[in-house]
C-alpha cells in the first residue's frame, strides 16, 4: 500500500503483531550474551478507535514494556506495530516524531512524573512547545487554562508548583499534559494504583468523561483486575511476557478460562 | 485492663502562620490478640495517630499532643524520652507502606534485622540464627542465602516480608501496619495479608492495620474505626460496619470500590463538601 493512501476504514487504531522485547543477559569472562530476558514474548493484539483496552498482569509480566515499546521508550527485538495501518515499529525516532503527538502517556506515580521545579503552566505547555513551536504565548496560555478546566482544576493553579497539590490533583495535571497536543491514543500506565480508592474513583470517572467528550482511545495498564474490568471494553491478561487470555471485560470476569486469570481474580479484594 | 487504651487524643501541628488539627480528640482501645483496622483517606489523621503511639512525631512546639495513650496502664505521653526506646520495636513495632524506602540500601537485610535484636535482646547469643529464623517465619526461602542479600536484590513483596521479619524479630505486643500492601501488586497483597493472619495466630500479637481500602479488611480485622478529618466517625465490629454502615462517609468509602461484574457505568465518588 503506498504511503499517501488513507488506511482502509476497518483498520484498527493500533495493531501489535508478534511483538518481542528481549534484554540480553551478559555472563562469563568475555561478558558474552548468554541468555535473554524475554520481557515481551510474541504478543499480538488490536486496539479499536474510541475503545479502552485493559492490559493486566503482575509486576514483571511485561505490561509496562509493551506500553513503552509502542512509543519507542523501549527497543523492539522483533514484530511489528501498526498505527492506523502504518508500520511504526521499525521507524527511527525522527520518522516517528509526528506519531508521538498522537500517542501520549500518563504515568503511575504523580509524585515522580512531574518536574518539581516547573510550574503547572510550564509542565502542561511543554508538549505544546515541542509539537506546536509556531504557537505564540497567548495561544499556549489559553490552551493551558482550557486544559485545566477539562480536568476540573482551577485556572489559578497554573502558577503553582507540583508540591502544592495532592496525589489526585497531580494525576489530573498529568492527564492535562497528556491531552495538551490533542492525542488520539493515551497509554495509561497504572494511572490510579498510587491513589486512595476514593481518589481512584474520581480519576477513573474523569478518564471516562474525557473519552466520551474527545473520542479518545485508551490502553489501560494496571495490576488491579477490578479497576481494569470496570474501565475496559476488552481485557488482555499478561503473565511472563505472554498474553495468556484475552476477551471482553464481561467475559473475563464471568468466565475466566486461564488459571492465571482466575488467580488474579481471586486475589482482588472483594466486599 | 486493655493492652492499649487511647483517651481523648488530640494532635496538632503548628506552622509559622497556621495550626493544623490532625487528630481532634479520639478514643479507642485494643485487647490482646485483637486486630483493629483504621480506615480513612489521605489526610484523615490515621498515620499520625499510629505514629503518636510511640511518639515518633516531632517535638513541641511543632507538634502538640494531648490526651492519654495507656500501654498496659502506663502513659506513653508522660514517659521520659529515654524510656521510649524500650517501647519502640519491643512493645510496638511498625511496618510502613513503601518497603523500598524503609530499608537502608547500603546494608544487607540480615544486618538490618540484627540491629533490632541487638538493641532489644542484648542477651541473645546466636543473633544470626535468630535473624535467619525470623526470615523463615515470614516465608522467605533460602533464608541463609537471603540473609546476605541487599534490599535492591529483592522484589517489592520480598522487601515487605523483610520489613515484617524486622518488626516481629523482637516479638512485639502490637504490630502497627501502616498501608502495608498499598505499594504491592494484588496477588502479593493477598499473600502479605495471609502472612499477617498466620503470624497473628502463631504469636497472639495485636495488630493495628491502617488502610484507605475497605476491601482488604474483610475477614482480617475484628474492629474497624473510620476516620474523617481527624475524627472517628464510625466504630464497630468489621462485619457489622461493612454490612450496615451508618455514617455517610463510611458508606461513600465502601461504595467507591469498583465491583467487578456489576457494570455500573460510573464509580461512586465522595462529595466531601456534603459531609461537613
Amino acid at each position: 500500500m503506498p504511503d499517501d493512501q488513507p488506511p482502509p476504514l476497518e483498520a484498527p487504531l493500533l495493531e501489535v503483531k508478534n511483538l518481542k522485547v528481549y534484554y540480553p543477559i551478559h555472563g562469563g569472562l568475555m561478558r558474552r550474551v548468554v541468555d535473554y530476558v524475554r520481557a515481551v514474548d510474541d504478543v499480538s493484539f488490536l486496539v479499536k478507535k474510541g475503545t479502552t483496552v485493559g492490559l493486566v498482569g503482575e509486576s514483571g509480566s511485561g505490561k509496562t514494556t509493551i506500553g513503552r515499546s509502542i512509543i519507542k521508550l523501549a527497543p523492539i527485538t522483533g514484530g511489528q506495530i501498526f498505527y492506523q495501518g502504518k508500520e511504526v515499529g521499525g521507524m527511527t525516532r525522527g520518522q516517528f516524531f509526528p506519531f508521538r503527538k498522537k500517542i501520549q502517556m500518563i504515568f503511575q506515580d504523580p509524585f515522580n512524573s512531574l518536574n518539581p521545579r516547573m510550574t503547572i503552566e510550564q509542565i502542561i505547555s511543554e508538549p505544546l512547545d515541542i509539537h506546536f513551536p509556531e504557537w505564540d504565548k497567548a495561544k499556549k496560555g489559553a490552551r493551558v487554562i482550557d486544559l485545566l478546566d477539562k480536568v476540573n482544576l482551577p485556572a489559578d493553579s497554573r502558577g503553582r508548583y507540583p508540591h502544592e497539590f495532592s496525589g489526585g490533583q497531580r494525576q489530573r495535571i498529568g492527564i492535562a499534559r497528556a491531552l495538551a497536543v490533542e492525542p488520539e491514543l493515551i497509554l495509561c500506565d497504572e494511572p490510579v494504583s498510587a491513589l486512595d480508592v476514593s481518589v481512584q474513583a474520581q480519576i477513573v470517572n474523569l478518564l471516562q468523561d474525557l473519552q466520551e467528550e474527545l473520542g479518545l482511545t485508551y490502553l489501560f495498564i494496571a495490576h488491579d483486575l477490578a479497576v481494569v474490568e470496570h474501565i475496559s471494553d476488552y481485557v488482555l491478561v499478561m503473565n511472563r511476557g505472554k498474553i495468556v487470555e484475552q476477551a471482553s471485560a464481561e467475559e473475563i470476569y464471568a468466565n475466566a478460562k486461564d488459571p492465571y486469570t482466575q488467580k488474579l481474580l481471586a486475589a482482588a479484594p472483594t466486599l | 485492663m486493655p493492652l492499649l487504651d487511647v483517651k481523648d487524643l488530640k494532635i496538632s501541628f503548628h506552622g509559622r502562620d497556621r495550626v493544623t488539627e490532625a487528630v481532634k480528640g479520639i478514643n479507642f482501645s485494643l485487647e490482646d490478640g485483637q486486630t483493629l483496622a483504621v480506615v480513612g483517606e489521605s489526610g484523615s489523621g490515621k498515620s499520625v495517630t499510629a505514629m503518636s503511639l510511640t511518639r515518633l512525631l516531632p517535638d513541641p512546639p511543632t507538634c502538640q499532643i494531648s490526651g492519654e495513650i495507656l500501654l498496659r496502664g502506663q502513659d506513653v505521653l508522660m514517659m521520659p524520652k529515654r524510656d521510649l526506646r524500650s517501647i519502640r520495636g519491643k512493645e510496638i513495632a511498625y511496618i510502613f507502606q513503601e518497603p523500598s524506602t524503609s530499608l537502608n540500601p547500603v546494608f544487607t537485610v540480615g544486618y538490618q534485622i540484627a540491629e533490632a535484636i541487638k538493641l532489644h535482646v542484648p542477651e541473645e547469643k546466636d543473633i544470626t540464627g535468630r535473624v535467619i529464623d525470623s526470615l523463615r517465619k515470614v516465608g522467605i526461602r533460602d533464608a541463609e542465602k537471603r540473609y546476605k542479600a541487599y534490599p535492591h536484590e529483592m522484589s517489592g513483596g520480598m522487601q515487605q516480608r523483610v520489613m515484617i521479619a524486622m518488626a516481629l524479630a523482637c516479638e512485639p505486643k502490637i504490630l502497627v501496619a501502616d498501608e502495608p500492601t498499598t505499594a504491592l501488586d494484588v496477588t502479593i497483597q493477598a499473600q502479605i495479608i495471609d502472612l499477617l493472619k498466620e503470624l497473628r495466630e502463631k504469636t497472639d500479637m495485636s495488630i493495628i492495620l491502617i488502610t484507605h481500602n475497605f476491601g482488604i479488611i474483610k475477614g482480617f480485622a475484628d474492629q474497624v474505626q473510620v476516620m474523617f478529618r481527624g475524627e472517628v466517625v464510625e466504630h464497630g465490629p468489621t462485619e457489622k460496619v461493612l454490612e450496615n454502615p451508618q455514617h455517610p462517609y463510611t458508606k461513600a468509602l465502601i461504595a467507591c470500590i469498583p465491583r467487578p461484574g456489576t457494570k455500573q457505568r460510573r464509580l461512586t465518588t465522595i462529595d466531601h463538601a456534603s459531609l461537613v
Side-chain angles (χ1 to χ4, degrees):
Chain A
M1 185 177 65
D3 267 353
D4 54 354
Q5 251 181 15
L9 276 178
E10 69 274 18
L13 191 65
L14 179 77
E15 181 174 9
V16 172
K17 250 189 191 168
N18 308 105
L19 181 69
K20 293 189 183 94
V21 181
Y22 291 177
Y23 295 104
I25 303 170
H26 298 272
L29 195 60
M30 307 299 288
R31 314 297 300 158
R32 271 192 297 243
V33 176
V34 289
D35 202 356
Y36 292 94
V37 175
R38 293 172 167 79
V40 177
D41 200 4
D42 203 6
V43 162
S44 306
F45 63 92
L46 296 174
V47 181
K48 285 190 191 135
K49 194 168 167 34
T51 62
T52 301
V53 171
L55 185 54
V56 58
E58 286 174 277
S59 316
S61 62
K63 55 191 196 306
T64 297
T65 307
I66 289 185
R68 295 175 71 90
S69 65
I70 292 169
I71 52 170
K72 298 201 179 297
L73 289 175
I76 297 170
T77 313
Q80 291 159 305
I81 296 169
F82 295 93
Y83 190 81
Q84 289 179 322
K86 265 191 195 150
E87 215 281 311
V88 296
M91 285 183 177
T92 62
R93 279 185 175 228
Q95 289 168 324
F96 187 65
F97 184 73
F99 292 92
R100 272 303 266 114
K101 199 170 83 180
K102 299 177 181 177
I103 312 174
Q104 289 290 310
M105 204 155 178
I106 302 170
F107 298 95
Q108 171 171 9
D109 191 341
F111 296 87
N112 289 331
S113 56
L114 303 177
N115 188 334
R117 289 169 181 273
M118 283 164 81
T119 64
I120 304 313
E121 173 144 30
Q122 287 168 330
I123 288 170
I124 298 177
S125 61
E126 199 179 21
L128 295 173
D129 297 339
I130 296 166
H131 291 287
F132 298 100
E134 70 281 7
W135 283 21
D136 60 22
K137 237 184 158 176
K139 195 168 177 188
K140 280 178 194 163
R143 178 86 181 123
V144 169
I145 293 174
D146 181 42
L147 286 162
L148 285 172
D149 180 55
K150 272 205 169 61
V151 297
N152 306 327
L153 284 174
D156 62 12
S157 13
R158 65 188 193 281
R160 292 159 67 190
Y161 288 89
H163 74 266
E164 299 174 62
F165 296 88
S166 68
Q169 288 172 322
R170 283 184 222 208
Q171 202 54 296
R172 286 170 196 274
I173 295 163
I175 294 172
R177 174 176 61 184
L179 293 175
V181 293
E182 297 187 336
E184 296 165 342
L185 173 67
I186 299 186
L187 311 174
C188 311
D189 190 0
E190 304 261 15
V192 295
S193 30
L195 306 173
D196 270 14
V197 275
S198 52
V199 182
Q200 172 178 309
Q202 291 170 10
I203 298 294
V204 167
N205 286 345
L206 173 68
L207 286 171
Q208 287 180 323
D209 292 345
L210 291 169
Q211 181 168 43
E212 260 171 37
E213 191 187 331
L214 307 168
L216 295 167
T217 307
Y218 294 136
L219 181 64
F220 192 94
I221 302 168
H223 67 252
D224 186 347
L225 200 48
V227 177
V228 169
E229 195 268 350
H230 175 84
I231 197 170
S232 309
D233 302 298
Y234 200 75
V235 177
L236 315 167
V237 183
M238 269 196 93
N239 186 22
R240 300 184 181 204
K242 288 184 193 299
I243 291 179
V244 294
E245 186 159 5
Q246 48 180 311
S248 70
E250 293 85 11
E251 181 70 19
I252 283 272
Y253 183 71
N255 192 13
K257 290 189 182 69
D258 189 82
Y260 182 73
T261 316
Q262 290 164 356
K263 187 182 141 198
L264 274 184
L265 275 169
T270 46
L271 283 172
Chain B
M1 182 166 56
L3 176 59
L4 180 74
D5 200 2
V6 174
K7 290 178 183 163
D8 195 28
L9 179 69
K10 285 182 188 142
I11 303 170
S12 56
F13 293 91
H14 296 250
R16 200 178 301 161
D17 45 10
R18 63 173 176 175
V19 176
T20 311
E21 283 180 70
V23 178
K24 301 168 186 165
I26 64 167
N27 299 285
F28 64 91
S29 64
L30 188 67
E31 303 286 343
D32 282 290
Q34 216 186 33
T35 299
L36 170 73
V38 182
V39 185
E41 287 173 281
S42 311
S44 60
K46 54 195 196 311
S47 292
V48 172
T49 305
M51 289 174 87
S52 72
L53 300 180
T54 54
R55 278 170 53 196
L56 289 173
L57 296 168
D59 286 328
T62 313
C63 173
Q64 305 278 359
I65 310 178
S66 69
E68 283 175 82
I69 297 174
L70 302 172
L71 183 66
R72 292 214 189 284
Q74 201 187 2
D75 192 349
V76 175
L77 295 180
M78 299 311 245
M79 249 179 227
K81 265 201 142 174
R82 52 188 308 151
D83 292 356
L84 290 173
R85 282 199 131 190
S86 63
I87 298 180
R88 293 174 182 164
K90 182 111 177 72
E91 303 284 332
I92 304 179
Y94 292 85
I95 354 174
F96 296 103
Q97 175 172 357
E98 186 69 69
S100 54
T101 51
S102 308
L103 290 166
N104 189 331
V106 300
F107 293 109
T108 62
V109 297
Y111 180 87
Q112 294 183 58
I113 299 172
E115 218 176 348
I117 301 173
K118 278 182 212 156
L119 178 67
H120 292 301
V121 201
E123 67 277 8
E124 178 69 65
K125 292 269 170 356
D126 182 18
I127 291 182
T128 312
R130 186 155 169 174
V131 171
I132 290 172
D133 195 42
S134 68
L135 285 172
R136 269 202 205 105
K137 270 188 201 147
V138 295
I140 291 180
R141 270 168 288 174
D142 287 337
E144 290 86 354
K145 276 188 199 156
R146 286 312 212 169
Y147 176 87
K148 290 187 188 134
Y150 286 89
H152 74 267
E153 297 175 294
M154 299 181 143
S155 67
M158 280 296 157
Q159 290 177 350
Q160 196 60 292
R161 282 171 196 265
V162 169
M163 288 301 295
I164 297 174
M166 197 184 294
L168 300 186
C170 301
E171 292 162 3
K173 305 283 179 309
I174 302 174
L175 176 70
V176 181
D178 190 351
E179 306 263 11
T181 62
T182 308
L184 306 173
D185 270 10
V186 273
T187 43
I188 312 297
Q189 228 171 59
Q191 287 172 17
I192 295 291
I193 291 293
D194 285 344
L195 173 67
L196 287 175
K197 274 184 198 167
E198 191 191 313
L199 293 170
R200 176 179 62 183
E201 264 156 44
K202 276 189 198 153
T203 58
D204 197 41
M205 64 179 171
S206 307
I207 299 179
I208 298 179
L209 174 73
I210 296 171
T211 178
H212 63 86
N213 191 344
F214 259 107
I216 68 167
I217 70 166
K218 192 185 179 188
F220 182 62
D222 307 304
Q223 298 276 322
V224 60
Q225 118 179 355
V226 182
M227 286 188 75
F228 177 60
R229 298 197 177 174
E231 283 169 82
V232 173
V233 294
E234 186 157 0
H235 181 267
T238 307
E239 301 305 317
K240 209 176 130 198
V241 171
L242 278 175
E243 268 165 36
N244 190 15
Q246 298 298 313
H247 194 273
Y249 181 68
T250 315
K251 286 179 191 166
L253 261 186
I254 294 175
C256 65
I257 300 170
R259 283 169 182 69
T262 53
K263 266 299 142 201
Q264 69 198 109
R265 174 64 188 85
R266 288 181 69 82
L267 292 173
T268 317
T269 54
I270 300 179
D271 180 11
H272 288 92
S274 74
L275 293 165
V276 186

